[in-house]
Amino acid sequence: MVKIAGGPATRATTRIRQVPALTRGIAILRLLGRGDAALGVHEIARCLDLVPSTCLHILRVLVAERLLAVDPVTKKYSVAAGLAVLARSALRQHTFPAAVQPDLDELSRMYGATAIAVEASGLEHMVVVALSRADSPLRVHVDIGSRFPALISATGRCIAAFGSHKWSEIKARFGRLRWDVPPSLAQWRSEVRAVQLVGYAVDEGRYIRGVSIVAAPVRMQNGSINAMVVVGVSEQMRRIGMAKMGKDLRGRAARISEAFGDAAWVDADRERRAGAVLR
């Protein structure tokens, strides 16, 4: 049983003093972190509405601190290993990955598949924050720090089903998703409604052909939706049983949600599913 001690602390209202250079530096890191392509000074300045000379000074500092790297030929900037080191340190200390890791290890052993935990950043993307790989030649490769569109696959259905995002925002983002076997919006919305009833989601080869993904939502104390996921080769996953894995994930995710202080949401979800069965 996972138990997270302590509750939300009462915070005094504090006036935050603006530090423009720091704000701009963080904006640059976020911009370069969102995409795979390196960008030049003028591209970065244009995207963030910065004066190019100011942008260049900040970039030089970030390079000196090894948070960014610059190509000496193209003069384009990209994230560097120093940023990855900071990210890994944050993930090690963060409570959600630590709380789910024992379950992920057990899931990967039980099902011979890769078990992962993801955190969603709004409707932008989700990030793999913990994982456990099965000792099997038929496994899907993924790394801590891997990013995916927030609404894609089984995890995306969980976010759409249990998050607090407006349907208009979800619909706008849905059109940008790339699937191997894309569902129609109507199909996908029907699947999202089904997820609300059963408490877990299945993507059987739609996102990646030949790969099946089962996910269950973890409700965090701030209302955001994370997920616990099992990923494997479709043939192997069908032999085990998608529903079996989904129910297992649902129970584990509910326990983690309760540990993070959202027992009321877990109880409401159980009542909703029980009511659906009675109807």
Side-chain angles (χ1 to χ4, degrees):
M1 177 75 177
V2 178
K3 187 172 180 62
I4 308 299
T10 303
R11 296 182 179 179
T13 303
T14 304
R15 182 174 177 273
I16 299 175
R17 195 180 188 90
Q18 296 298 313
V19 184
L22 179 58
T23 302
R24 292 163 185 160
I26 292 171
I28 290 171
L29 292 173
R30 284 178 173 159
L31 174 66
L32 293 173
R34 279 199 299 266
D36 296 325
L39 299 176
V41 175
H42 290 282
E43 292 173 286
I44 296 169
R46 186 168 57 252
C47 288
L48 300 177
D49 196 24
L50 299 176
V51 176
S53 59
T54 300
C55 183
L56 179 59
H57 289 311
I58 296 171
L59 287 167
R60 285 174 174 168
V61 172
L62 293 173
V63 169
E65 295 295 333
R66 299 183 181 179
L67 299 179
L68 294 182
V70 58
D71 187 307
V73 177
T74 65
K75 303 298 183 185
K76 291 190 174 184
Y77 295 81
S78 59
V79 293
L83 196 59
V85 170
L86 290 177
R88 280 196 294 270
S89 176
L91 291 176
R92 281 196 302 269
Q93 298 173 40
H94 189 33
T95 53
F96 175 61
V100 297
Q101 190 63 56
D103 283 285
L104 299 184
D105 292 339
E106 189 173 343
L107 287 164
S108 66
R109 284 195 303 270
M110 286 175 58
Y111 300 128
T114 299
I116 67 175
V118 298
E119 281 191 358
S121 177
L123 291 177
E124 283 287 329
H125 57 261
M126 61 184 113
V127 182
V128 176
V129 296
L131 66 84
S132 182
R133 294 189 178 94
D135 186 17
S136 167
L138 296 176
R139 67 186 187 191
V140 177
H141 183 73
V142 67
D143 287 313
I144 289 180
S146 296
R147 295 185 308 160
F148 308 92
L151 292 176
I152 203 74
S153 186
T155 46
R157 292 176 179 87
C158 288
I159 290 168
F162 297 105
S164 57
H165 308 286
K166 295 179 180 177
W167 175 249
S168 58
E169 297 173 351
I170 293 172
K171 182 179 177 181
R173 298 231 177 222
F174 177 82
R176 306 175 205 165
L177 300 177
R178 295 182 180 179
W179 314 71
D180 278 355
V181 185
S184 68
L185 179 61
Q187 286 175 316
W188 187 78
R189 190 171 191 180
S190 176
E191 291 165 356
V192 168
R193 291 194 186 105
V195 171
Q196 291 175 325
L197 295 179
V198 299
Y200 63 87
V202 175
D203 184 290
E204 196 166 354
R206 281 200 178 276
Y207 176 36
I208 304 171
R209 196 185 303 271
V211 173
S212 290
I213 303 167
V214 185
V218 176
R219 174 90 166 194
M220 304 302 289
Q221 196 170 20
N222 63 2
S224 64
I225 299 296
N226 295 345
M228 297 174 67
V229 189
V230 174
V231 187
V233 177
S234 291
E235 184 179 349
Q236 174 191 357
M237 299 277 278
R238 279 194 292 268
R239 284 199 303 267
I240 298 167
M242 306 286 188
K244 175 183 177 181
M245 286 184 283
K247 291 173 184 176
D248 188 359
L249 279 168
R250 183 181 68 198
R252 295 170 187 268
R255 175 166 47 79
I256 300 294
S257 297
E258 287 178 319
F260 276 90
D262 211 334
W265 178 81
V266 174
D267 291 340
D269 179 52
R270 286 174 182 151
E271 288 177 8
R272 180 173 59 249
R273 285 189 279 106
V277 170
L278 291 173
R279 286 196 297 272

